[in-house]
Amino acid sequence: MDKIILLDFGSQTTQLIGRRIRELGVYTEILSGETDLGPLLEETSRNGGTAGTLRGIILSGSPESVYAPDAPAPDKRIYSCGLPLLGICYGLQRMNFDNGGKVAPLPKREYGGIKVTVRGSTFTAWMSHGDTLTELAPGFIETGRSETGYPAVVVHGEKPWYGLQFHPEVTHCERGTEILSSFVFGICRCRKSWSMKAYVETVRSELAARVGASPVLLLISGGVDSTVAAALLLKTLPPSQVHLMYMDTGLMRKDETAQVKRALEKLGAQHVHIVMCETEFLSALKGLSEPELKRKVIGDLFITIQERETARLNLPDSYFLAQGTLYTDLIESGKGVGKKAHVIKSHHNVGSPLVETKRKEGRIIEPLDKLYKDEVRALGRLLKVDEDVVRRHPFPGPGLAVRILGEVTKEKCDILREADAIFIDELKKRPGPQLAGKAGSSSLYDDIWQAFAVLLPVRSVGVAGDVRKYGWVLALRAITSADGMTADVYPFPPKDLLEISTRITNTVKDVGRVTYDISSKPPATIEWE
Ligand code: XMP
């Protein structure tokens, strides 16, 4: 399979570049910008200069400046390996600087749509940079310039090296896909070999060979990732070999447990172990209101119950532990460049001794670890996972506990569950503005990356009939995002918000007032705790 390597220098859009190229049908892998590329390049040259599969290298953007003393720099061998290079923003500045050119700060940072002219043709590109090339490295030629008077496209006279000051991966960049496509196909000569079908075939045969007749245990959260991982296991191994464990913590959304069970059984699951542990969680949380403490108590209890319940299954020691880790859970995005960490967000896994032990034994299976979230959704559809699960918004491991500010009680969970279910139901019923190009039925829900209600620890005054009453204040949150790392507020048409608020206050009697959270991330986070 042909592939393109992306060297990540910390840009927020590195993952987006990867996804865009995969959408073109070519496999991409993101490596920390400073990775030692020796082994990979040696393998490439052994395979006759085309790396067998490695066909080109992209250098990403970065918040850094190349002239800063500790600016991230690539392995210098990329400049002698003969492979095509594409530098994007900082990547271009890096290539120019490393090869003897000069880079300096702009008088004023450029951000957003800016026209560029490349060989007589003008289009709107998308910029985000504080530095510019002030002197081209020997051999580099400027072929495009921005309307503001700076080099926008640079090519090398003899080597297959290209550089863009703008970001072709951003959808607002006109001709962005065409540019990426001409690099990948025209210059790197990649063949289209990345498709979900091909991926599934490879993963399934590897999985079957590795697992043999051993049982596999998968911890299910009810979200898209673990359910799709379950589907993949169930379509690969005999269902009698697959054990699925799900904990109902009492901090789940309305009807969630029943839906999860139904979806798994529809996929042919034979061993669905539902652990009912609401009482344990609520008593552990009693009296606690400090967010980090709540998270810690929940995390610890997850581990305790997971160990207790796993032991009760009496699986042989040779069993494999599977988890729905995604590609994006494994790579660092934008932070700590050069220190690729094994970050796993899912609550089941953080520091879990069971995961650690199984990893040491080489008995961990992560069949989605090469996929992005939207690819997991596509895989889910291919494997016939319920559409309701496939399109489901992300949900945090600690569940409603981080959406009930302050102390968590059963009563508050019930109020929040009702209000949240109404919000989500309304979003699913209301048509979204982006009807074209989206799989499944297109609604406001599908247009939004994540939406939920939050119960605040305040009551406010209101009237019911002629009586004054004090009702809880509820906040609605809806955001757009590519990966949860940054988020923008969803710009609802006011009509939708007004009608949804009315339905909530009319139906959930304990909620007296509804507000809409208009904070982006950063500086706010998506969740409130
Ligand atoms: P924040 O609130 O950090 O959230 O902006 C980013 C994304 O991560 C989800 N999230 C969590 N997921 N365990 C999880 O599995 C957690 O403890 C957790 N905290 C936040 C959040 O819902 C959003 O999608």
Side-chain angles (χ1 to χ4, degrees), residues 423-442:
F423 184 29
I424 299 303
D425 177 58
E426 287 290 333
L427 296 180
K428 286 184 175 167
K429 282 202 305 224
R430 291 167 186 265
Q434 293 185 6
L435 290 170
K438 289 221 167 187
S441 60
S442 196

Side-chain angles (χ1 to χ4, degrees), residues 161-277:
W161 295 356
Y162 302 81
L164 307 169
Q165 185 52 70
F166 55 88
H167 290 266
E169 68 279 14
V170 171
T171 42
H172 313 295
C173 181
E174 282 174 13
R175 305 186 58 183
T177 309
E178 182 189 329
I179 292 168
L180 288 177
S181 172
S182 63
F183 177 70
V184 169
F185 299 116
I187 293 153
C188 299
R189 306 243 159 250
C190 287
R191 284 154 300 191
K192 282 193 188 203
S193 45
W194 171 251
S195 74
M196 202 45 77
K197 268 208 166 103
Y199 174 78
V200 173
E201 289 315 312
T202 317
V203 170
R204 287 181 60 191
S205 54
E206 282 171 10
L207 193 68
R210 212 178 135 205
V211 172
S214 300
V216 179
L217 170 65
L218 172 69
L219 303 167
I220 296 274
S221 70
V224 187
D225 310 342
S226 55
T227 314
V228 172
L232 196 53
L233 293 176
L234 290 164
K235 308 266 154 153
T236 303
L237 306 167
S240 57
Q241 227 172 304
V242 181
H243 293 260
L244 307 169
M245 187 186 283
Y246 168 89
M247 286 185 214
D248 182 336
T249 58
L251 306 167
M252 329 301 296
R253 289 162 287 189
K254 193 177 176 189
D255 298 331
E256 186 153 13
T257 301
Q259 277 170 19
V260 170
K261 187 157 183 279
R262 225 177 14 247
L264 295 176
E265 283 169 356
K266 231 167 118 182
L267 290 167
Q270 290 176 4
H271 305 301
V272 182
H273 309 282
I274 306 251
V275 186
M276 301 302 283
C277 37

Side-chain angles (χ1 to χ4, degrees), residues 63 98 102 151 163 170 206 233 276 325 341 346 390 395 459 510 520:
D98 290 348
K102 290 201 174 125
V170 171
E206 282 171 10
L233 293 176
M276 301 302 283
T325 318
S346 168
V390 168
F395 187 61
R459 291 194 201 235
D510 295 292
S520 62

Side-chain angles (χ1 to χ4, degrees), residues 25-40:
V26 174
Y27 182 64
T28 53
E29 239 174 64
I30 298 178
L31 299 179
S32 165
E34 298 185 291
T35 304
D36 171 0
L37 297 174
L40 193 65

Side-chain angles (χ1 to χ4, degrees), residues 106-181:
L106 286 169
K108 188 166 163 278
R109 200 182 158 75
E110 291 196 325
Y111 185 84
I114 288 179
K115 289 207 166 14
V116 302
T117 304
V118 183
R119 297 197 171 110
S121 146
T122 301
F123 60 95
T124 303
W126 200 90
M127 302 269 184
S128 174
H129 64 131
D131 290 337
T132 183
L133 309 195
T134 46
E135 191 181 309
L136 297 190
F140 280 70
I141 304 160
E142 180 184 310
T143 55
R145 184 159 268 265
S146 68
E147 60 181 331
T148 44
Y150 300 106
V153 183
V154 168
V155 302
H156 194 282
E158 287 137 33
K159 300 177 179 170
W161 295 356
Y162 302 81
L164 307 169
Q165 185 52 70
F166 55 88
H167 290 266
E169 68 279 14
V170 171
T171 42
H172 313 295
C173 181
E174 282 174 13
R175 305 186 58 183
T177 309
E178 182 189 329
I179 292 168
L180 288 177
S181 172

